[in-house]
Amino acid sequence: MQTGHVTTPFGRRPMSLALVKGQMAIADSSPGARIEKWKVFRDVCEARERFGLQDRALAVLDALLTFYPNGELDAEHGLVVFPSNAQLSVRAHGITETTLRRQLGALVDAGLIQRRDSPNGKRYAHRNRDGEIEQAYGFDLTPLLARAKELAMLAQDVAAERMRFRRAKEALTICRRDVRKLISAAIEEGASGNWGKVETAYIGILARLPRYPGRTQVEAALDEMELLREEVLNILEIQLNTDNLKGNAIQNDRHIQNSNTESINEFEPCTGKAQGENLAEQPHPKSVTPRDTKAKLEQIRAFPLGMVLRACPQITDYGPVGGISNWRELMAAAVVVRSMLGVSPSAYEEACNAMGPENAAAAMACILERSNFINSAGGYLRDLTKRSDRGEFSLGPMLMSLLKANDQGYRKVS
């Protein structure tokens, strides 16, 4: 059986130094080595991406191994198989001859098999009187035997890489969920802080991830998301500690005061005069003072214009110049949308008085975004106005819901 020498390909197939190097490497392989052929095949399947092989190339390699009669690859018994293309195609699940030739070339280029071409390019074998093969021309499986240890190490490395990738994705999913729910809880319960900025950072981290990210990209996003989670937790911890201190002071001094948890100025120091005014002008539980209204409006305005436009992209079509770049243009677009949706001028004016013109425009953008699900835009806006008068209206949950819906819609489309 021919082993340990260099042969050139038949016909117009060119010879290359890489082929020479591969054949010399086989000549230097350990004599007497044996390996279970299907174990080597499984290692090749595991590491196929490292060789740039397609699934059909593995089907062709599987077919070649079925023509080797023994269960173990053993150089002493010869490692050249010589099936015809027709036989190979049948055992490779009926792939076409063009595809078969291409995948055989891919296996050769990957250094997993070698060609042993006859003088006329046909595949056959010479046998002695006892029926044993003396010389065979076809495909040499010796590279699989010579590279068995290398293939096993590659398979282990690929499996470990896949495990690291899966764990990184799981950690990112959990961290992403934590940040998302912490932001939503903080906004819904009126925790002070620039949650619009935090939301923008959260969306930016996810936007930088490609559709099919690699492990390094997932790990980079995980690092950023973990830092953001720490920042959110620090903000909430500071507020909770401050609330506890205020609660202890109230209990010790037997002092009851009206606290507005939705105000973004909760941690700002105030003068003694301001404190006195707060105690003297304490409102009735069923009434809302201008100061309370101002605090609620400031809470709503914590959301930047860019966030409103991301949550309500349809409003940009009604901008003065086909777009919106500032609050004034958003308010102008809201007037157009008001008329289009049949909201009366009086209803919109009441909303502006109760919420402020910027907040009323943002609410109008939200109504436009959900217009398919709202029977009466005017009635809906009046209801928001009444809730705003009672101090029950918050723009945050509306924007968060629309942002989440738009993000899901974008993923489905992409």
Side-chain angles (χ1 to χ4, degrees):
M1 197 69 175
Q2 79 282 6
T3 57
H5 63 275
V6 175
T7 62
T8 57
F10 171 78
R12 289 180 288 182
R13 289 195 298 270
M15 186 64 179
S16 66
L17 295 181
L19 292 176
V20 176
K21 181 180 179 180
Q23 294 186 38
M24 287 183 174
I26 290 176
D28 296 336
S29 60
S30 301
R34 294 182 180 181
I35 189 69
E36 203 272 314
K37 65 179 181 180
W38 297 119
K39 180 182 182 301
V40 178
F41 178 72
R42 288 192 295 271
D43 291 339
V44 173
C45 292
E46 190 75 26
R48 71 180 182 87
E49 293 181 358
R50 300 289 180 90
F51 296 103
L53 296 176
Q54 299 177 356
D55 294 341
R56 291 187 176 183
L58 299 179
V60 173
L61 181 60
D62 174 80
L64 286 173
L65 288 173
T66 61
F67 285 100
Y68 187 76
N70 301 327
E72 292 183 337
L73 298 177
D74 185 0
E76 293 182 358
H77 294 85
L79 292 172
V80 178
V81 293
F82 40 91
S84 65
N85 283 349
Q87 292 174 318
L88 265 179
S89 177
V90 170
R91 295 200 185 183
H93 311 292
I95 64 177
T96 62
E97 184 171 347
T98 302
T99 303
L100 177 66
R101 293 179 184 275
R102 185 169 61 253
Q103 301 305 331
L104 285 170
L107 291 172
V108 173
D109 294 339
L112 298 176
I113 63 173
Q114 289 184 351
R115 299 181 189 272
R116 298 293 182 185
D117 288 343
S118 66
N120 61 0
K122 302 294 183 181
R123 301 171 200 151
Y124 57 88
H126 293 297
R127 301 178 184 270
N128 58 21
R129 292 183 178 180
D130 297 329
E132 297 178 350
I133 296 177
E134 294 182 337
Q135 187 79 15
Y137 300 101
F139 296 105
D140 193 348
L141 304 178
T142 304
L144 293 175
L145 177 62
R147 302 180 65 182
K149 292 183 179 179
E150 175 193 352
L151 293 172
M153 293 180 63
L154 276 176
Q156 293 177 4
D157 186 53
V158 169
E161 175 71 13
R162 187 180 295 114
M163 176 65 70
R164 290 194 294 269
F165 184 36
R166 183 168 61 249
R167 289 182 177 176
K169 289 177 66 176
E170 290 174 352
L172 178 60
T173 299
I174 294 174
C175 188
R176 174 182 174 181
R177 181 185 65 198
D178 292 345
V179 174
R180 173 68 274 163
K181 292 196 172 184
L182 286 171
I183 293 174
S184 298
I187 292 173
E188 290 174 1
E189 299 185 19
S192 65
N194 192 347
W195 300 112
K197 182 178 179 181
V198 176
E199 177 75 20
T200 300
Y202 170 80
I203 296 174
I205 294 173
L206 299 180
R208 286 191 291 273
L209 273 177
R211 186 174 182 182
Y212 300 104
R215 180 178 62 84
T216 55
Q217 294 169 316
V218 171
E219 290 179 344
L222 175 60
D223 292 339
E224 293 184 72
M225 194 67 73
E226 287 178 340
L227 289 175
L228 184 61
R229 180 173 60 184
E230 291 297 324
E231 181 179 351
V232 171
L233 290 175
N234 288 337
I235 295 173
L236 295 177
E237 183 180 5
I238 292 172
Q239 173 154 347
L240 291 175
N241 290 338
T242 305
D243 289 344
N244 289 336
L245 290 175
K246 288 183 177 181
N248 293 335
I250 292 172
Q251 182 177 3
N252 293 336
D253 298 340
R254 298 182 180 275
H255 176 72
I256 301 176
Q257 64 179 2
N258 180 30
S259 62
N260 181 8
T261 59
E262 291 184 353
S263 172
I264 63 173
N265 299 319
E266 184 174 349
F267 301 121
E268 293 182 0
C270 58
T271 63
K273 181 179 178 181
Q275 292 176 350
E277 292 174 353
N278 187 34
L279 292 174
E281 298 176 5
Q282 197 170 23
H284 190 274
K286 294 184 179 180
S287 64
V288 179
T289 65
R291 182 175 179 176
D292 294 330
T293 303
K294 181 179 179 182
K296 291 181 174 61
L297 295 182
E298 288 175 348
Q299 172 66 18
I300 299 174
R301 288 173 188 169
F303 299 96
L305 176 63
M307 184 178 179
V308 175
L309 296 180
R310 284 196 304 274
C312 311
Q314 295 185 38
I315 194 71
T316 57
D317 297 335
Y318 302 91
V321 290
I324 296 174
S325 58
N326 52 56
W327 281 104
R328 185 177 298 276
E329 292 180 354
L330 177 64
M331 289 186 284
V335 173
V336 177
V337 171
R338 174 201 66 74
S339 177
M340 182 189 71
L341 295 179
V343 178
S344 65
S346 61
Y348 188 69
E349 184 179 358
E350 291 174 2
C352 291
N353 293 334
M355 307 177 192
E358 296 90 350
N359 303 328
M364 204 71 235
C366 292
I367 293 174
L368 172 65
E369 201 69 19
R370 302 283 293 176
S371 58
N372 293 337
F373 306 94
I374 298 174
N375 294 329
S376 173
Y380 189 82
L381 182 62
R382 288 185 184 277
D383 180 69
L384 294 182
T385 302
K386 293 178 181 178
R387 290 168 56 192
S388 180
D389 287 334
R390 296 194 301 266
E392 299 174 356
F393 172 70
S394 175
L395 194 58
M398 294 177 65
L399 292 174
M400 293 304 105
S401 176
L402 289 172
L403 274 172
K404 183 177 180 181
N406 290 339
D407 287 347
Q408 290 176 349
Y410 174 78
R411 293 190 186 97
K412 290 179 181 179
V413 172
S414 59

